[in-house]
Amino acid sequence: NLVFKYLKKIIDKKLLDQNKCINFLDIGCGPAHTFQELSNKYTNIKYIGIEPRDDFYQEANKRYSEDKRFTIYKSHCETFLQNFKKTDIILSLDCFEHVPLDKRNQTLELIEKIDFKYMFVNVPNEIGPAIFIKNIGSFLMGYFRYKEYSFIETIYASLYKIDKIKPHYDGHKGFDWRVLYYSLRFFFKVEIQTSPKNFFPKFLSPSIFFICKKNS
């Protein structure tokens, strides 16, 4: 998992202290696969996941609720974060593309008020040549992903003609990572990484990864 490699590198270099617990807040954690990876690698952690979907929430509870390091809340992030104050690392992996723009910016405003060290955000690249490659590839492999797009919409997105596509709401189609990037830069210091291993240019990278720190 490329995101976890980036995460592990910063934890090991900046935060790892065997006498100190590392606190994680995972926004849109799904069935909490990230907790499994973290708990396999690090012993002294505290993990809080936020997940609004009941099926993901139930599955994560079934898997990890007996682990005292694990806590999950069934909630929308813009509700939960109003009373959240401090953590070490915030995670939002494959989540923000499913959050409408108004709620996304509201969430970032709330995150900006939290005392944290790093925030890791991963989103799919749905514009430029990357989306053409992904959708054609998913079609050839029989993966359902491409079905969200018509063929002409794939062409428009690959040519950056997103004005020809219905405005993005909470799916993949029409999502432009650059809009999220501008919002993140308004609140935080942001570094962009691409996949795999920062080798691909952004227009070919299947996903975009942001490493964020507080401005102050």
Side-chain angles (χ1 to χ4, degrees):
N1 186 305
L2 183 65
V3 172
F4 188 71
K5 288 181 180 178
Y6 286 129
L7 179 58
K8 177 180 177 298
K9 183 177 180 181
I10 286 185
I11 291 173
D12 291 350
K13 184 176 181 181
K14 304 285 189 179
L15 300 176
L16 191 60
D17 181 343
Q18 297 302 326
N19 296 317
K20 182 180 182 298
C21 179
I22 303 175
N23 296 280
F24 295 87
L25 174 67
D26 194 352
I27 298 173
C29 66
H33 294 306
T34 302
F35 173 73
Q36 182 176 4
E37 295 194 62
L38 290 170
S39 61
N40 287 341
K41 175 63 181 176
Y42 304 104
T43 301
N44 197 10
I45 66 170
K46 181 179 179 182
Y47 173 99
I48 296 175
I50 311 168
E51 177 53 51
R53 276 184 54 171
D54 186 66
D55 55 342
F56 286 158
Y57 169 79
Q58 296 294 345
E59 182 63 26
N61 255 327
K62 184 171 70 174
R63 293 179 182 180
Y64 310 118
S65 60
E66 294 185 1
D67 192 320
K68 293 181 179 180
R69 299 172 294 176
F70 176 85
T71 305
I72 188 170
Y73 294 91
K74 185 176 179 293
S75 175
H76 290 280
C77 51
E78 68 273 15
T79 301
F80 178 88
L81 294 175
Q82 292 180 17
N83 297 308
F84 193 84
K85 302 300 183 185
K86 184 175 182 179
T87 191
D88 293 311
I89 293 179
I90 298 174
L91 305 171
S92 180
L93 308 180
D94 295 311
C95 173
F96 273 119
E97 70 272 20
H98 300 300
V99 181
L101 182 61
D102 55 343
K103 293 184 178 180
R104 186 194 312 165
N105 288 337
Q106 180 185 355
T107 298
L108 293 179
E109 288 181 13
L110 292 168
I111 291 173
E112 195 273 336
K113 297 175 182 177
I114 297 172
D115 180 5
F116 71 91
K117 296 181 175 64
Y118 294 93
M119 178 168 67
F120 297 85
V121 177
N122 186 66
V123 291
N125 190 352
E126 301 290 326
I127 56 170
I131 190 60
F132 183 83
I133 295 169
K134 286 199 293 185
N135 281 0
I136 295 299
S138 66
F139 170 75
L140 294 175
M141 292 186 294
Y143 182 48
F144 71 90
R145 185 191 200 286
Y146 73 94
K147 293 183 178 180
E148 188 174 344
Y149 291 76
S150 68
F151 179 75
I152 192 61
E153 286 171 337
T154 294
I155 298 299
Y156 285 146
S158 68
L159 295 174
Y160 297 95
K161 293 185 176 182
I162 57 174
D163 58 304
K164 302 289 187 180
I165 301 173
K166 185 178 179 180
H168 173 264
Y169 186 70
D170 63 356
H172 293 108
K173 184 172 63 178
F175 177 75
D176 188 339
W177 65 264
R178 298 170 301 179
V179 176
L180 174 60
Y181 177 50
Y182 297 147
S183 296
L184 288 170
R185 285 185 63 201
F186 182 83
F187 294 103
F188 314 109
K189 297 177 182 178
V190 184
E191 175 187 344
I192 298 180
Q193 302 284 339
T194 61
S195 174
K197 297 183 179 179
N198 219 25
F199 176 76
F200 279 6
K202 290 185 281 293
F203 68 88
L204 287 177
S205 179
S207 59
I208 303 293
F209 183 52
F210 305 104
I211 303 173
C212 306
K213 296 179 67 177
K214 297 292 288 285
N215 282 317
S216 55

